[in-house]
Each structure stands twice: as structure tokens, then as C-alpha cells.
Amino acid sequence: MQKLRQAVLFDLDGTLLDSLGDLAESMNAVLREDGLPTHGLDDFRFFIGDGIQALVKRSLPLRLHNDRPALEAYLDRYRASYSQRWHLSKPFAGIADLLDTLQAQGVGLGIVSNKPDNFTQQCVQTLFPAWTWEGVVGQLDHVPSKPDPTGALAMAEKLGVQPEDCWFVGDSDVDMKTGVNAGMNVVGVSWGFRPETELRDAGAQHIIGQPAELLALLNKD
């Protein structure tokens, strides 16, 4: 019996892309301009994952959290700052070889991110140009953000794969919950921004420490 086609839906930041330093410096640069406290990389590991609005709000002092005009202004400034730095990010070690093998095996490749869609598209086109992505989507106003499964399920449909034949791969609780909510196979990566305990608590069915380990999961009988 012929094996059904499989697909892998990846998160972007912290899963495919080592972008923590650029995301952090983009926000810290804005904070420094106004003499506000900056944050270390470990802080940003937990600021990232729920979308750009959450990142900016978490980075600002508590006194600004309910100041909507200020939040909107800082959001615009962060976008401008990040637009100068996003291209400095790099794929994690081993990702290129993993993508080469998946593509050679005919596995469908997609990306579902909470990064704004314009930055998501730019990152993928510029930093991952060697692979055929059948679908790429970031945060859009008309689509609920992860962990809502809407984006992941729409991507599975676009790739012509049933949810149970999709592997959702990410580095945060948001990603694990997305995969669970979508009824997909849920894989957490330990090289990303969040601890392994968080991934397990959020529903990870598998934890991998190297990109190549994903191949063994997909190729199991």
C-alpha cells in the first residue's frame, strides 16, 4: 500500500531561524532611544512567540501597558527598527540539510508563524531561497494567531494533506498548542527559545535535539 503524502509545518523564529539577537536588539534600540530599561536575551526568549504586539508590550514598563497610543507608537518604531535587522538572522545548524532531505522525499513544506506576514515572507524569500515552500503565512489581521489552529489547518488544506498526516514543528508552548488544536503530530525542538519542560507541558508528542531527528519520525513505519 502506498504511503500517504506527509507535510511538515514549521514555526519560523526559534525553529528554523536563529533570530533572537536581531529581535532583541531591534526592541532594545527603541528602548534606548527613550532612556527606558533594556532586556537581556533570556528575557526576550519569553517575550517572543505571541506576535509583535505582545513582544512590544512585554518589553515596555508596566506604566505603559494600558497606554494605547504609546503602544501603537512603539509598535511602529519596533517595525522600523526590525526592518533594518531581520536579514541578519541565520538558519540554525542542520536546518539546510533537513530541508534538502525533506524536499527530496517529496514531503510538503510550509511555515506558519506569528511574525507579521510581511516580515515572514521577506525572511523566507531571502534566507530560505533554496527550497520550494508550498505555503508560507505569518500574522495577518483577518486570521487568528497561533495557538488558534485556523492558519495551520488552512495550510494543511493548501498542501493537500490531512491534519493527521501533518507534523507541526515549533519551539514554544504556542506552537505545541497549535499542533494539538489542529490534530497534527506535534514536535518540539530543544534548540529554540523555550525550555523542553514548557514544550512537554504544552502537549509535545516528540522532542528533538537535532534537525535530522525529524527524519526518523517521518520515516517510521
Side-chain angles (χ1 to χ4, degrees):
M1 183 175 179
Q2 186 176 10
K3 192 172 183 179
L4 294 175
R5 184 177 193 241
Q6 297 186 90
V8 180
L9 306 184
F10 291 99
D11 170 54
L12 184 58
D13 294 306
T15 302
L16 294 175
L17 196 61
D18 186 0
S19 55
L20 183 62
D22 302 322
L23 292 164
E25 180 54 27
S26 296
M27 190 67 217
N28 277 338
V30 173
L31 296 171
R32 282 195 296 269
E33 288 174 357
D34 288 0
L36 296 174
T38 58
H39 306 279
L41 286 180
D42 283 342
D43 295 321
F44 280 99
R45 291 181 186 277
F46 295 93
F47 293 169
I48 294 163
D50 293 296
I52 189 172
Q53 291 87 353
L55 166 60
V56 170
K57 186 174 182 178
R58 290 165 180 167
S59 302
L60 291 168
L62 286 173
R63 61 183 171 81
L64 294 173
H65 282 198
N66 294 317
D67 186 336
R68 184 174 294 275
L71 289 174
E72 289 297 324
Y74 278 107
L75 187 60
D76 288 342
R77 290 171 63 188
Y78 174 78
R79 287 192 181 101
S81 181
Y82 184 61
S83 71
Q84 301 173 27
R85 295 177 173 85
W86 64 265
H87 60 283
L88 301 175
S89 299
K90 302 291 183 185
F92 284 104
I95 290 295
D97 289 340
L98 169 64
L99 296 176
D100 283 344
T101 303
L102 291 175
Q103 186 162 291
Q105 291 180 350
V107 175
L109 299 178
I111 291 174
V112 182
S113 175
N114 274 351
K115 183 195 286 287
D117 187 67
N118 63 320
F119 286 129
T120 298
Q121 301 295 339
Q122 288 175 335
C123 284
V124 174
Q125 291 167 14
T126 304
L127 304 176
F128 297 94
W131 301 280
T132 300
W133 299 95
E134 297 183 41
V136 176
V137 66
Q139 188 179 44
L140 295 165
D141 290 341
H142 63 280
V143 179
S145 298
K146 299 182 297 184
D148 187 286
T150 301
L153 290 170
M155 187 65 68
E157 183 176 1
K158 183 175 183 178
L159 271 60
V161 178
Q162 294 299 313
E164 59 267 28
D165 296 315
C166 271
W167 298 77
F168 200 94
V169 183
D171 73 304
S172 73
D173 60 336
V174 171
D175 298 316
M176 302 303 95
K177 291 174 183 176
T178 302
V180 170
N181 292 340
M184 297 177 178
N185 303 286
V186 187
V187 182
V189 305
S190 64
W191 62 78
F193 298 162
R194 301 290 184 84
E196 186 174 320
T197 52
E198 176 181 306
L199 304 178
R200 294 194 185 279
D201 290 345
Q205 297 163 333
H206 309 276
I207 302 288
I208 58 175
Q210 298 292 333
E213 293 175 25
L214 182 62
L215 299 172
L217 296 176
L218 268 70
N219 292 325
K220 268 186 180 179
D221 291 331

